[in-house]
Amino acid sequence: MPPLGLKAVVCDKIMNNVIRKVRVKGEWKALVVDKLSMRMISSCCKMTDIMSEGITIVEDITKRREPLPSMEAIYLITPSDESVEGLISDFRDPQNVMYRGAHVFFTDTIPDTLFNLLTKSRASKVMKTLTEINTAFLPYESQVYSLDKADAFQDFYSPFKEDVKARMLERLAEQMATLCSTLKEYPAVRYRVDHKDNATVAQLLQDKLDAYKADDPTMGEGPDKARSQLLILDRGFDPVTPVLHELTFQAMSYDLLPIENDVYSFETSGMGEARMKEVLLDEDDDLWMTLRHKHIAEVSTAVTKSLKDFTASKKMNTGEKTTIKELSQMLKKMPQYQKELSKYSTHLHLAEDCMNKYQGAVDKLCRVEQDLAMGADAEGEKIKDPMRLIVPVLLDANVAVFDKIRIILLYIFLKNGVSEENLCKLLQHAQIPPEDSDIISNMAHMGIPIITEVAPKKTKKPDRKERISEQTYQLSRWTPLIKDLMEDAIEDKLDPKLYPYISTRTASSKSTTATSARYGNWHKNKGPGEVRTGPRVIVFIIGGVTYSEMRCAYEVTQANGKWEALIGSTHIVTPLKYLKALQHQDFLDPNAAPEDQVTPEEN
């Protein structure tokens, strides 16, 4: 499948504005990358496409490389100290240069200090191109991006990282500005008022967007584009979603199974001896695209139905419910359909793996989690005594420590904080080791009430939309808060006191709304690869986006014909990664006596 949405836009930019731009027919070049640019390329371009454009080798600028003095190199690198130093040192010795010449493309704006270093170096004599492509983010999915900065979590929330915070906020704004520039958007910037640093990022971003707009006045032009909005949130805006067990296919798989770098490994049998198979879960797989946001209860049925349709079209017979074993028999008989049939087998395996983890362990947690998250049971009755709900789970020796922590956190969120004494009792009941209990106390750094010595004030929680209908699964009643926020932003109902605009933009974004709304429907949704002319709502969460929140972006887009919702973050989190980040040593006081600190075991 060709790349879609964000991936298509970034792939197009790399191929046309970098690789083809300096291509000379019949001449081979090396491509030199660093960590971010390598991950950018891998996320949206195929190596075969790059090789077919005259690239013979792709190399990492930070590693030792063989000199290729007869060849020119394309450098696609971030304007960081390390990468610029790597470029300079490649040409430092005129007797022993790495390449014949250099075409240098920076992902975004190079700071003056580094630019001056570069112009004074010998490398400047061999540079035939020096330009900025203004793309410094990863297109993770067609509507999801990542800035690939997991350590921003500690830098943003740890009280002991103030010294590096300002530079980190600046970098986030630089990267977000390249996202808007790549999408040709000049959105109205809004931020959640409850965390002071959101306003800082919003202002930095607005300044950078203004500079881009001055360079390219067409940015953000087009019917309805003036309605586009970018919303900056800190992770504390919705503490519940990242700790819940989700039962939709993608979110559940990443939570319960050891999927690393989007690779799912499983054991296949049926072809003689069992062997391990590795499959990449990405948008090249159309079956994954149709299944990833479905509830697990529908997945196996959907795979079987899709398989039935496929086999019927190929005049093959399958029973009502196809097992993995039958599939492997079919594979033997029909080797020509190996690619298609193994796709079905992968997703049946994945669904089966999820269900095995779910039954007998996660299923009993889900009801308690949903009741705590909603503050009401499946019948809509208010939970009067949440302690009665959680004690059986905390005392159950078969429940894993991290699952108990997730339940304790949901209890604390519902109560709006608990006393230190109560928290100690909960931790004792649940037998939470001291190094793991830090996760709970460190969450207070995110502006979430955890320990409150006086009876917690009745702070008004945001009014939630009523979404529960006949179709709602009892164990999936919670809807991530981001869905309400995206819908409200689109409908112009998002409270400007809680989510203010950066002052300079309110007037212009409002005045154009009325005029363009009238003619906004002349174009219907185009194919995913084509440029969208409608407005976008772009969400940026500092501190991690979850898979269930990604799903909301697609659901909101589907429900709002002309709007497209994009969501992204500093990085992508699963519940486990999120909780482990709160255990990071950056949250320890560097000046405390060592005996006061319990460091988590290195995993």
Side-chain angles (χ1 to χ4, degrees):
M1 274 173 76
L4 306 168
L6 261 184
K7 287 192 167 196
V9 175
V10 175
C11 178
D12 193 55
K13 210 167 180 185
I14 291 170
M15 296 305 282
N16 291 329
N17 297 12
V18 178
I19 292 169
R20 290 184 188 127
K21 195 166 187 183
V22 294
R23 184 170 184 193
V24 177
K25 220 167 168 43
E27 209 179 275
W28 291 94
K29 287 186 175 63
L31 176 61
V32 182
V33 293
D34 58 14
K35 182 175 173 254
L36 178 75
S37 60
M38 184 65 220
R39 284 171 60 88
M40 249 162 60
I41 292 170
S42 312
S43 64
C44 60
C45 302
K46 291 208 170 13
M47 275 305 155
T48 46
D49 295 343
I50 288 173
M51 298 300 181
S52 67
E53 295 289 345
I55 299 293
T56 178
I57 185 168
V58 179
E59 305 221 77
D60 182 336
I61 197 164
T62 58
K63 303 228 165 68
R64 270 185 66 96
R65 288 160 280 139
E66 282 296 310
L68 297 165
S70 62
M71 198 180 275
E72 288 185 350
I74 297 174
Y75 286 78
L76 175 56
I77 51 178
T78 11
S80 64
D81 296 356
E82 188 185 22
S83 296
V84 172
E85 177 47 46
L87 167 61
I88 291 172
S89 72
D90 280 355
F91 299 96
R92 191 164 275 140
D93 176 359
Q95 300 308 309
N96 193 14
V97 293
M98 283 296 284
Y99 309 103
R100 183 165 55 102
H103 298 273
V104 181
F105 296 88
F106 284 114
T107 53
D108 51 308
T109 313
I110 180 168
D112 291 346
T113 47
L114 289 178
F115 183 71
N116 295 336
L117 269 181
L118 193 54
T119 49
K120 291 190 184 102
S121 73
R122 295 196 75 90
S124 62
K125 301 197 171 34
V126 294
M127 288 195 303
K128 301 184 167 185
T129 312
L130 177 60
T131 187
E132 295 156 350
I133 65 162
N134 301 329
T135 302
F137 61 90
L138 303 186
Y140 182 68
E141 285 182 5
S142 56
Q143 288 173 232
V144 181
Y145 63 90
S146 160
L147 303 189
D148 204 26
K149 287 187 87 63
D151 53 358
F153 184 83
Q154 293 84 257
D155 294 350
F156 192 79
Y157 294 109
S158 166
F160 312 113
K161 300 285 281 183
E162 286 296 329
D163 54 331
V164 295
K165 192 187 243 184
R167 176 68 199 107
M168 184 270 299
L169 298 180
E170 176 91 26
R171 182 68 191 138
L172 297 186
E174 281 165 2
Q175 289 185 268
M176 286 304 296
T178 73
L179 172 77
C180 297
S181 159
T182 300
L183 292 168
K184 302 209 179 329
E185 289 284 0
Y186 181 57
V189 177
R190 304 180 75 167
Y191 58 94
R192 182 173 109 105
V193 83
D194 290 347
H195 196 296
K196 64 180 182 355
D197 293 318
N198 293 341
T200 311
V201 179
Q203 190 57 63
L204 288 166
L205 173 57
Q206 185 65 61
D207 295 346
K208 291 176 196 311
L209 288 177
D210 292 345
Y212 275 132
K213 177 81 169 160
D215 278 349
D216 175 11
T218 64
M219 185 169 132
E221 291 200 343
D224 266 5
K225 280 290 186 201
R227 299 175 69 191
S228 289
Q229 296 182 35
L230 189 149
L231 182 59
I232 296 171
L233 305 166
D234 57 287
R235 187 57 271 179
F237 87 99
D238 174 3
V240 171
T241 296
V243 298
L244 279 179
H245 279 94
E246 243 287 337
L247 300 183
T248 51
F249 197 30
Q250 182 184 30
M252 187 179 189
S253 305
Y254 279 76
D255 182 5
L256 301 183
L257 307 176
I259 294 172
E260 275 307 315
N261 296 324
D262 307 315
V263 174
Y264 165 56
S265 310
F266 62 100
E267 205 172 270
T268 61
S269 53
M271 291 289 213
E273 80 292 349
R275 60 190 179 88
M276 285 308 285
K277 186 174 176 190
E278 292 194 335
V279 177
L280 185 65
L281 299 173
D282 70 2
E283 294 181 324
D284 281 344
D285 176 347
D286 50 353
L287 188 57
W288 174 242
M289 295 268 289
T290 57
L291 297 173
R292 61 185 173 180
H293 300 142
K294 284 189 188 301
H295 192 281
I296 190 68
E298 299 162 17
V299 170
S300 296
T301 335
V303 178
T304 315
K305 182 184 179 313
S306 177
L307 175 61
K308 258 181 103 68
D309 295 347
F310 173 74
T311 49
S313 72
K314 301 285 180 261
K315 310 275 188 289
M316 296 151 60
N317 270 332
T318 54
E320 268 315 298
K321 188 116 178 61
T322 313
T323 62
I324 291 172
K325 207 164 180 178
E326 286 165 8
L327 246 178
S328 49
Q329 295 301 321
M330 284 159 65
L331 268 169
K332 275 188 202 159
K333 288 185 204 148
M334 307 274 181
Q336 70 272 39
Y337 299 127
Q338 172 111 23
K339 192 167 164 250
E340 290 89 344
L341 292 175
S342 59
K343 217 166 16 184
Y344 294 109
S345 134
T346 296
H347 295 301
L348 281 174
H349 261 283
L350 188 54
E352 200 172 275
D353 267 2
C354 283
M355 287 311 289
N356 290 342
K357 290 268 192 226
Y358 171 75
Q359 279 154 346
V362 177
D363 49 0
K364 57 177 180 286
L365 299 173
C366 283
R367 186 182 63 81
V368 179
E369 288 179 0
Q370 290 291 318
D371 287 359
L372 292 171
M374 300 298 290
D377 63 18
E379 279 67 54
E381 291 293 319
K382 191 172 180 306
I383 303 292
K384 291 192 177 60
D385 183 5
M387 187 60 90
R388 267 184 50 199
L389 270 181
I390 69 171
V391 168
V393 177
L394 301 187
L395 296 177
D396 186 338
N398 297 321
V399 175
V401 168
F402 271 69
D403 286 336
K404 289 181 179 180
I405 289 175
R406 288 161 79 164
I407 292 275
I408 293 172
L409 283 169
L410 288 165
Y411 171 76
I412 295 172
F413 302 155
L414 177 67
K415 301 289 282 180
N416 241 331
V418 293
S419 69
E420 184 134 22
E421 185 191 353
N422 276 358
L423 180 58
C424 287
K425 280 186 191 155
L426 289 172
L427 296 172
Q428 272 170 334
H429 275 317
Q431 296 184 316
I432 307 289
E435 68 270 20
D436 292 333
S437 65
D438 285 353
I439 294 173
I440 298 171
S441 47
N442 284 341
M443 203 164 263
H445 296 311
M446 301 174 69
I448 298 163
I450 298 294
I451 292 170
T452 43
E453 285 318 325
V454 287
K457 293 195 296 289
K458 279 274 180 248
T459 52
K460 189 175 179 308
K461 297 219 170 155
D463 289 332
R464 296 303 309 268
K465 296 190 177 186
E466 184 53 63
R467 295 182 186 273
I468 295 173
S469 67
E470 296 296 312
Q471 282 76 48
T472 309
Y473 288 92
Q474 285 200 358
L475 300 183
S476 300
R477 285 173 284 140
W478 173 261
T479 301
L481 179 59
I482 196 63
K483 191 167 186 183
D484 290 13
L485 298 185
M486 290 193 282
E487 289 174 346
D488 285 348
I490 287 172
E491 292 161 19
D492 223 358
K493 290 181 184 162
L494 197 56
D495 187 341
K497 287 193 196 64
L498 302 177
Y499 300 95
Y501 290 87
I502 285 290
S503 54
T504 49
R505 287 298 301 284
T506 5
S508 67
S509 65
K510 285 283 180 293
S511 63
T512 45
T513 308
T515 50
S516 53
R518 198 166 151 198
Y519 302 109
N521 265 333
W522 59 268
H523 74 284
K524 280 286 168 259
N525 265 357
K526 297 191 173 179
E530 294 173 64
V531 178
R532 289 185 72 97
T533 52
R536 286 188 174 101
V537 58
I538 302 169
V539 172
F540 175 49
I541 303 171
I542 302 170
V545 61
T546 66
Y547 286 92
S548 44
E549 287 167 326
M550 292 181 200
R551 185 188 79 244
C552 294
Y554 294 93
E555 290 170 352
V556 168
T557 305
Q558 265 171 333
N560 289 281
K562 100 184 127 169
W563 281 80
E564 180 180 45
L566 297 180
I567 192 166
S569 176
T570 44
H571 60 305
I572 286 151
V573 292
T574 60
L576 207 59
K577 283 184 182 148
Y578 175 62
L579 296 179
K580 279 191 184 299
L582 284 159
Q583 231 177 351
H584 196 282
Q585 62 208 32
D586 282 348
F587 283 99
L588 299 174
D589 184 347
N591 303 317
E595 60 269 18
D596 297 346
Q597 303 189 343
V598 190
T599 41
E601 298 290 311
E602 284 299 316
N603 347 331

